[in-house]
């Protein structure tokens, strides 16, 4: 598959042999229906230059919500930087350490700039990933008896996990339900929940700006609504920011966790917590470690101050030594995405997702039964380019998502199957009730792992997820739709995960 160029200069991928004419015809129809896509033509050029390994390896990558792809130039620029510099541990004061400190602090500024977050309001704490950022909030938030941790039903497991910190400190834990049809939160449900906490007790409201399961875009306006009601707000932006603009000069959540590999692929192992100064100052860490304190004592450990002085600000939340060689690559990635433009990426993936959603909705077995069920909105209104779905056979039997993923692997298509670390969304989508699931956990602390797997058999069904990102093009969604058609009129029993 090689890039060619039409009269308008748009890079195309052509296939030789069967299907290339049909692809060209479908592309023409798609562009006629989505003229905004042609305005993103420079991304086709970018794909040919920066992501050519996709086509050379014959891979259709549809797991951008799991992890974005890095541009070749990001790796080259980072390598050149490392080859030309002498960088030491930033906790020293020598020349090499000062050079590192300058790079780390410059990257902090670049992160703030990318999200248009004023340094007068926000700080950047570097973490291993978004989960690490969430752990910092969970362990240090001032939960207490009478306070509340409130979440939407479709949070990532790392957001759900904060409930264990809340419960340990005597706080209440509540969830806002989703509607099964579009996987959204009913405004009445949210309003009633936000109105419940006492204003003299800390309350933390956490929700994803974009569900990593259904792709639903929850309103950023909820940040203001919740804060007016007296809540602190944790906005999980990990699945949102790769294809949407988050303007922290307009919206002011207290805590924003992100993973940079989800935004631009490289480096992995570095995330950040963007936190408002006042919110960060209210966090009380339960321990200290090398790297986050100014001075400690063994002899004075029983004294009134427990023998340590924690470094104020972001340094007090960065345990050990940060990944100081990797952090400069964050700035490189941010500049790469900035050159492409989040608005361009958003417009491109939205049009591609719209075509794919329409195509999936049209697929039928010979008897008229639907081939696919999409969980979440049927169109692109208030939804991102993350599409969760399941394939059904002609009798309406669900084809296990892992079987679909396995067969996709044989076709060179990278999907994701499972619950995607979002159990609440899966439970709503598949109609798994709390009573049934609670029974599965009864006595689990006395079970072996094998016994637990036996108890939950049949309750682990998930969904396939196709997600688009910076390097996606029409050939990707077209190829995926063609793959889904191969399940037409196939009984579930005939699908073992192979290629037959």
């Amino acid at each position: 598959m090689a890039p060619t160029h039409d009269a308008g200069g748009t890079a195309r991928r052509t296939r030789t042999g069967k299907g290339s004419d049909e692809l060209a015809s479908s592309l023409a129809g798609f562009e006629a229906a989505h003229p905004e896509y042609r305005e993103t033509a420079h991304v086709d050029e970018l794909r040919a230059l920066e992501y050519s390994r996709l086509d050379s390896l014959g891979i259709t990558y549809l797991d951008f919500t799991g992890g974005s792809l890095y541009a070749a130039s990001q790796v080259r620029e980072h390598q050149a930087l490392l080859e030309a510099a002498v960088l030491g541990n930033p906790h020293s004061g020598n020349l090499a350490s000062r050079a590192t400190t300058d790079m780390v602090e410059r990257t902090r500024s670049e992160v703030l700039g990318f999200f248009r977050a004023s340094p007068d309001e926000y700080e950047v704490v570097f973490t291993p990933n978004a989960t690490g950022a969430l752990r910092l909030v969970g362990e240090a938030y001032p939960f207490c008896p009478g306070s509340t941790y409130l979440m939407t039903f479709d949070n990532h497991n790392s957001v759900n996990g904060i409930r264990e910190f809340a419960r340990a400190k005597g706080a209440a834990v509540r969830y806002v339900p989703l509607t099964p049809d579009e996987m959204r939160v009913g405004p009445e449900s949210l309003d009633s929940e936000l109105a419940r906490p006492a204003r003299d007790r800390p309350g933390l409201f956490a929700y994803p700006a974009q569900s990593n399961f259904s792709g639903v875009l929850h309103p950023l306006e909820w940040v203001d609504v919740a804060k007016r009601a007296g809540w602190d707000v944790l906005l999980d932006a990990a699945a949102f920011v790769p294809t949407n603009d988050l303007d922290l000069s307009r919206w002011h959540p207290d805590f924003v966790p992100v993973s940079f590999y989800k935004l631009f692929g490289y480096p992995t192992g570095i995330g950040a917590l963007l936190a408002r100064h006042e919110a960060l100052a209210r966090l009380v860490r339960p321990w200290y470690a090398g790297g986050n304190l100014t001075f400690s004592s063994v002899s004075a450990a029983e004294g009134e101050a427990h023998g340590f002085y924690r470094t104020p600000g972001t340094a007090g939340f960065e345990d050990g030594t940060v990944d100081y060689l990797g952090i400069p690559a964050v700035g490189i990635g941010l500049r790469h995405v900035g050159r492409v433009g989040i608005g361009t990426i958003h417009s491109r993936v939205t049009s591609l997702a719209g075509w794919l959603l329409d195509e999936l909705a049209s697929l039928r077995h010979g008897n008229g039964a639907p081939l696919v069920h999409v969980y979440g909105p049927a169109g692109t209104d208030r939804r991102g380019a993350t599409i969760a779905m399941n394939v059904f056979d002609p009798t309406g039997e669900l084809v296990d998502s892992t079987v679909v993923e396995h067969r996709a692997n044989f076709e060179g298509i990278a999907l994701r199957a499972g619950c995607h670390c979002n159990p609440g969304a899966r439970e709503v989508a598949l109609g798994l009730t709390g009573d049934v699931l609670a029974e599965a956990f009864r006595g689990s602390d006395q079970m072996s792992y094998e016994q637990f797997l036996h108890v939950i058999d049949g309750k682990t069904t998930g969904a396939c997820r196709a997600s688009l990102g910076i390097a996606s093009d029409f050939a990707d969604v077209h190829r995926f739709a063609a793959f889904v058609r191969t399940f037409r009129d196939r009984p579930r029993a005939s699908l073992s995960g192979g290629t037959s």
Side-chain angles (χ1 to χ4, degrees):
M1 204 175 295
T4 61
H5 302 274
D6 64 6
T10 302
R12 307 284 180 162
R13 287 190 294 148
T14 62
R15 285 187 173 88
T16 58
K18 184 178 179 181
S20 58
D21 291 342
E22 199 276 328
L23 171 60
S25 175
S26 296
L27 175 61
F30 167 70
E31 290 187 331
H34 298 274
E36 69 275 13
Y37 183 79
R38 293 187 64 88
E39 297 175 5
T40 69
H42 67 281
V43 182
D44 290 306
E45 299 279 359
L46 179 80
R47 174 166 175 143
L49 292 172
E50 297 279 20
Y51 305 93
S52 60
R53 60 191 184 277
L54 285 169
D55 298 334
S56 63
L57 296 173
I59 293 177
T60 296
Y61 188 78
L62 297 173
D63 192 23
F64 281 90
T65 298
S68 189
L69 298 178
Y70 54 83
S73 63
Q74 288 176 243
V75 180
R76 291 195 300 268
E77 186 175 346
H78 188 216
Q79 180 180 352
L81 182 152
L82 296 179
E83 289 178 345
V86 176
L87 302 173
N89 189 314
H91 294 143
S92 297
N94 58 59
L95 292 175
S97 297
R98 291 180 182 178
T100 302
T101 298
D102 289 344
M103 286 188 176
V104 170
E105 295 310 311
R106 184 161 58 246
T107 305
R108 280 191 220 277
S109 296
E110 289 183 281
V111 173
L112 290 173
F114 185 85
F115 294 110
R116 297 195 288 288
S118 169
D120 294 331
E121 182 179 12
Y122 280 94
E123 300 180 59
V124 174
V125 178
F126 285 117
T127 64
N129 42 41
T131 294
L134 290 162
R135 180 185 61 79
L136 287 177
V137 177
E139 70 178 10
Y141 189 79
F143 292 117
C144 63
S147 66
T148 303
Y149 182 41
L150 178 66
M151 295 164 280
T152 57
F153 222 75
D154 60 343
N155 273 296
H156 188 280
N157 264 335
S158 298
V159 180
N160 289 325
I162 291 177
R163 72 191 187 197
E164 301 310 308
F165 290 114
R167 285 171 172 159
K169 295 179 180 179
V173 175
R174 299 204 304 269
Y175 280 95
V176 185
L178 304 176
T179 59
D181 52 354
E182 288 206 337
M183 308 285 288
R184 297 191 190 278
V185 171
E188 299 82 5
S189 298
L190 180 64
D191 289 345
S192 64
E193 289 291 349
L194 290 177
R196 288 178 62 181
R199 288 179 177 267
D200 62 345
R201 292 287 187 274
L204 182 62
F205 171 48
Y207 76 97
Q210 176 176 316
S211 168
N212 74 308
F213 182 95
S214 66
V216 163
L217 294 172
H218 293 304
L220 295 177
E221 286 82 359
W222 288 355
V223 174
D224 290 348
V225 172
K227 289 177 75 67
R228 284 197 298 270
W231 293 83
D232 293 321
V233 178
L234 189 160
L235 182 71
D236 179 8
F240 180 81
V241 295
T243 57
N244 298 276
D245 181 39
L246 179 60
D247 183 354
L248 294 182
S249 70
R250 169 64 183 87
W251 312 106
H252 303 273
D254 296 282
F255 307 106
V256 182
V258 295
S259 284
F260 292 114
Y261 74 92
K262 290 182 180 288
L263 184 53
F264 40 72
Y266 176 85
T268 57
I270 303 178
L273 175 66
L274 286 87
R276 298 182 64 246
H277 298 318
E278 295 84 351
L280 197 67
R282 289 198 298 274
L283 300 185
V284 180
R285 302 208 64 193
W287 78 309
Y288 72 86
N292 65 30
L293 74 165
T294 300
F295 188 78
S296 70
S297 169
V298 173
S299 301
E302 301 304 317
E304 181 178 347
H306 301 290
F308 72 92
Y309 180 85
R310 194 186 310 280
T311 305
T314 58
F317 289 84
E318 291 174 343
D319 301 334
T321 301
V322 297
D323 182 1
Y324 59 87
L325 296 183
I327 284 175
V330 170
I332 293 170
L334 291 171
R335 292 191 293 274
H336 171 69
V337 171
R339 287 190 294 269
V340 180
I342 282 291
T344 296
I345 297 169
H346 176 81
S347 176
R348 186 176 178 87
V349 300
T350 299
S351 59
L352 291 172
W355 182 90
L356 181 56
L357 286 165
D358 290 344
E359 193 70 14
L360 293 174
S362 72
L363 298 180
R364 294 287 187 274
H365 291 287
N367 64 3
L371 180 56
V372 174
H373 180 81
V374 171
Y375 304 108
T380 57
D381 178 39
R382 293 172 295 152
R383 74 118 70 229
T386 297
I387 302 172
M389 72 202 84
N390 268 319
V391 172
F392 291 80
D393 81 354
T395 67
E397 292 290 323
L398 185 149
V399 178
D400 193 281
S401 61
T402 59
V403 172
V404 178
E405 181 186 41
H406 187 65
R407 294 175 69 87
N409 286 337
F410 279 97
E411 299 296 326
I413 299 173
L415 298 175
R416 190 158 180 177
C419 83
H420 317 294
C421 298
N422 200 317
R426 180 197 61 176
E427 290 157 17
V428 172
L430 302 181
L432 299 174
T433 65
D435 291 342
V436 170
L437 291 167
E439 185 63 30
F441 288 98
R442 193 181 308 279
S444 60
D445 54 341
Q446 280 86 44
M447 294 181 194
S448 69
Y449 180 63
E450 289 73 19
Q451 289 172 325
F452 181 70
L453 290 179
H454 177 74
V455 171
I456 64 171
D457 183 44
K459 303 178 183 68
T460 58
T461 301
C464 295
R465 186 182 70 189
S467 51
L468 310 176
I470 188 171
S472 298
D473 69 1
F474 181 74
D476 292 331
V477 295
H478 184 271
R479 187 179 181 190
F480 177 63
F483 163 71
V484 175
R485 289 190 202 100
T486 66
F487 290 88
R488 188 174 186 268
D489 294 332
R490 299 288 302 275
R492 184 179 67 169
S494 70
L495 300 166
S496 61
T499 59
S500 62

